[in-house]
Amino acid sequence: MTRLRGGAGERGGVGAGRGHRGRADVSRQLLPRLGPRRAAMAGSRQPQRLFLQGVAAAFLFAFASLYAQIPGLYGRDGILPARKMLRPLGKGLWQQLWEVPTLLWLSPRLGLDTEQGMELLSLLGTLCSLGVLLLPALRHGLLYLLLWSLYLSLYQVGQVFLYFQWDSLLLETGFLAVLVAPWCPTWGKEAGAPPHADVPFWLVRWLLFRLMFASGVVKLTSRCPTWWGLTALTYHYETQCLPTPAAWFAHHLPVWLHKLSVVATFLIEIAVPALFFAPVRRLRLAAFYSQALLQVLIILTGNYNFFNLLTLVLTTSLLDDQHVAWWLGAGRTKQPPASRARRVLTALSLLLELAVYGLLAYGTVHYFGLELDREWGSIQAKTAFTFHEFSQWLKVVTMPSVWLGMASLLWVLLTALYRCARIRKWLGKLKATVQLSVVGAAAVAMFTISLVPYTYVEPGTNRQLWPGAYRLFGAVEHLQLANSYGLFRRMTGLGGRPEVVLEGSYDGQSWTEIEFMYKPGNVSVAPPIVVPHQPRLDWQMWFAALGHHTHSPWFSSLVYRLLQGKAPVIRLLQVDVFKYPFWEQPPTFIRAHLYKYWFSRPGEQGTWWRRKWSEEFFPSVSLGDPKLESLLVQFGLRDKSPGRAPHSSASLLPRALRWLRDQLTPLAAPMLLWGLICSVGAIHFLQALLHPRPRRPETAGGEKNKPVSQKEKGGKERSQAHSSEGAGNGSKGTRRKK
């Protein structure tokens, strides 16, 4: 497969095979310097490697974070025991796997219950992700298929605690990684990639477009007054689920700057994504840096686990090898004088860039009424269009955006077909064409499937889709291959951040607050930094505060488990059980109140929050209380039987899982994740010290004219002969010339 790549290497090889000896010598001197350079200008091998490593890192964080929470969330004594999601009902194994695609159906055959099966899958996912990050040889399509299958298996029984948009995004991105990753060992070598390599990578760019465009559009289609009034960020930093300390400082920035930031958000999420498919390279790079800036700012002010990292990973689809080489400090080689046609093309590209930037600037000023207020030294902004006008605009642009995606995909397919046609040996050409046919069909199918959830943003366009797209999407919908997105549709907490505070008591008179590790509670405790960990119970507590407790059935189970004093659930609140006020004896009564929280004002010492009591959220209950029993029965949370452990629970695998759980239980999840991050970084650092990569002559400015020994020249010639399909001069011919 290393011989399927065309380009500069092929052209040099042809010249060396057909010309005289002098021309062959010149070709051999120029090939090492110019060949890789020209290939890098249009290639995306390095961005694909960054993408695959980033996906592995996201899987690592997701698996390790979930592993730490499995006993409290899904265990036998957890809030939502996972065993209730797997009921065979007399169906065969293959039918079960298709209807509920999870490897947990195989747990009993390994002597494991559902909880231990989830732990095993999480550990396997963590180890595989680590292996992919540390060993390039493991970045294989099969490994990514395994990672995707493992996370999909957990997702199927994860219930409300795994129904987040970033879980769906990880599954969709993970499946694309299966297509992007090499399936032949030689693809990852320096010789080159097959002609179809850029086709599945284009799907990553399309996913990024859908994610960003939909996230921007839903903010306006929701008719949220804060987004339309450009005041959303005056509330966001304070009311988001898990703010960081930096959010406190961002919250106290001037209002005009918040409004300007909302305008920039709309620009980056709605207007800039069209540049993902721009024919001018620098426009795509500008789009990349704008998206990266937005994600970095979100990471600094909010704890959104691996979501923003995963979005940054998707932005690698906007890069190319030349720009990644510039990041790595590769020097630029001298380019020959450009031809007249090249100069004209460069001038036209520059004019197009200026026109695009001018159009974006004009549209921003016009549609958001930007005005400079010299008196206050600020920029005033307002929404200068109506909801009806925006809806009409959305109807106009949604279908053309679909056609834009189709045209871009067609161009990528034609480019790959052209590369196949340039392969000179008919056997290699046939093999590459067959591979392109398979990958191209998969890319077209994935694109077609994605159109259904993408067009949810505009129902009229959704109804115009080809009926076959609905059938194809419905057939694979349960596999999470394509999803709809749109975070922060409406801004919550306009009158203060609602927060549920649990309280326990032994006598029903004296109450003690039950603190969580991560969500706001004690007004004197600073907001924590927990990224890339996601405390899923804390996140659901944020959602529960937005409505009545009956809208969150799991909350009754949480209260029930705390009254029982179940240690796995208590560790979701406090890893150090001695910080839990009822660690010696479970409380007799538990209740929950709703408070409104605000960030403290500048100058208030010793506090990060202010709060005010709002109302009762959950009534005072105890074990056996009819109100609690009624809720548990109503939501199907009352255990009819405690469940039996597998007969072989004393075998080696269950005992090993229990031992490992006992060792890791005292560690907080963020500490566990950062330990893994530091370990990966340390290993890569040691590898760089022990096995430094030699600098290439073409990237070292002072070594271009350095004499090359006959031995080195022969080695270079042989490597070129092996890496060029159309050279026509194998190693035997090279030895004859010497």
Side-chain angles (χ1 to χ4, degrees), residues 682-717:
I683 293 174
H684 278 301
F685 180 72
L686 290 176
Q687 288 176 339
L689 287 180
L690 298 177
H691 305 286
R693 303 182 71 177
R695 297 185 65 186
R696 296 180 184 175
E698 65 269 20
T699 60
E703 297 180 0
K704 292 180 182 179
N705 300 320
K706 182 178 178 179
V708 181
S709 67
Q710 288 294 326
K711 184 177 180 180
E712 293 173 339
K713 180 186 290 187
K716 290 181 180 179
E717 290 174 351

Side-chain angles (χ1 to χ4, degrees), residues 462-480:
N462 184 266
R463 291 191 293 268
Q464 298 176 24
L465 292 179
W466 174 50
Y470 298 103
R471 293 193 295 269
L472 192 59
F473 175 74
V476 298
E477 185 177 7
H478 63 299
L479 299 178
Q480 300 296 308

Side-chain angles (χ1 to χ4, degrees), residues 173-200:
T173 307
F175 189 79
L176 295 184
V178 175
L179 302 177
V180 174
W183 284 79
C184 180
T186 56
W187 291 8
K189 293 184 179 180
E190 205 64 31
H196 66 264
D198 288 341
V199 176

